[in-house]
Amino acid sequence: MARSLAVVGIISFGLALTGCSGAMVGFQPSLFTAGPGMIFTDVQGGSLVVENVAPSKTGTACSTQILGIIATGDTRVETAMNNGGVRKLSFVSQSIKSYVFGVYSEVCTIARGN
């Protein structure tokens, strides 16, 4: 019984360390073909916003989290557009990187347009 409780405690502690990255907050299965990896994740996905217009400008907006304790950043599409000087949006994509059970995670929104 004590051994079972110890195992449950260790697993619970490990899951707590992943924070929100373990659940991949903002993870939209419709945009991505792969799920989060335990050791390393580097996934990109996108969605066409308007007609096929060749984009000439790119802007990014990123947020990071460490140990599920500290999370900072802004991943809004509007922020990405402002950072790249994009006035007319043609394409939005998202990049998610996570290392070692979500100890460090980075989510970026990439806006392309003119």
Side-chain angles (χ1 to χ4, degrees):
M1 180 69 172
R3 181 174 278 205
S4 296
L5 288 175
V7 169
V8 169
I10 290 170
I11 291 172
S12 297
F13 179 73
L15 290 174
L17 286 179
T18 65
C20 292
S21 71
M24 296 300 285
V25 170
F27 185 75
Q28 299 175 3
S30 62
L31 298 179
F32 296 96
T33 59
M38 296 279 241
I39 302 298
F40 177 71
T41 301
D42 186 3
V43 180
Q44 276 99 56
S47 174
L48 190 63
V49 176
V50 295
E51 295 183 29
N52 290 332
V53 177
S56 61
K57 298 178 181 177
T58 301
T60 60
C62 298
S63 65
T64 59
Q65 76 83 27
I66 301 169
L67 292 173
I69 298 170
I70 300 170
T72 61
D74 181 357
T75 57
R76 292 178 296 160
V77 174
E78 295 85 3
T79 303
M81 289 175 66
N82 289 337
N83 289 345
V86 176
R87 300 268 185 242
K88 185 175 180 183
L89 191 62
S90 62
F91 191 80
V92 176
S93 60
Q94 191 174 41
S95 169
I96 297 176
K97 291 183 182 179
S98 178
Y99 303 93
V100 191
F101 297 100
V103 170
Y104 175 82
S105 298
E106 178 182 77
V107 177
C108 292
T109 300
I110 301 124
R112 293 182 177 92
N114 298 313

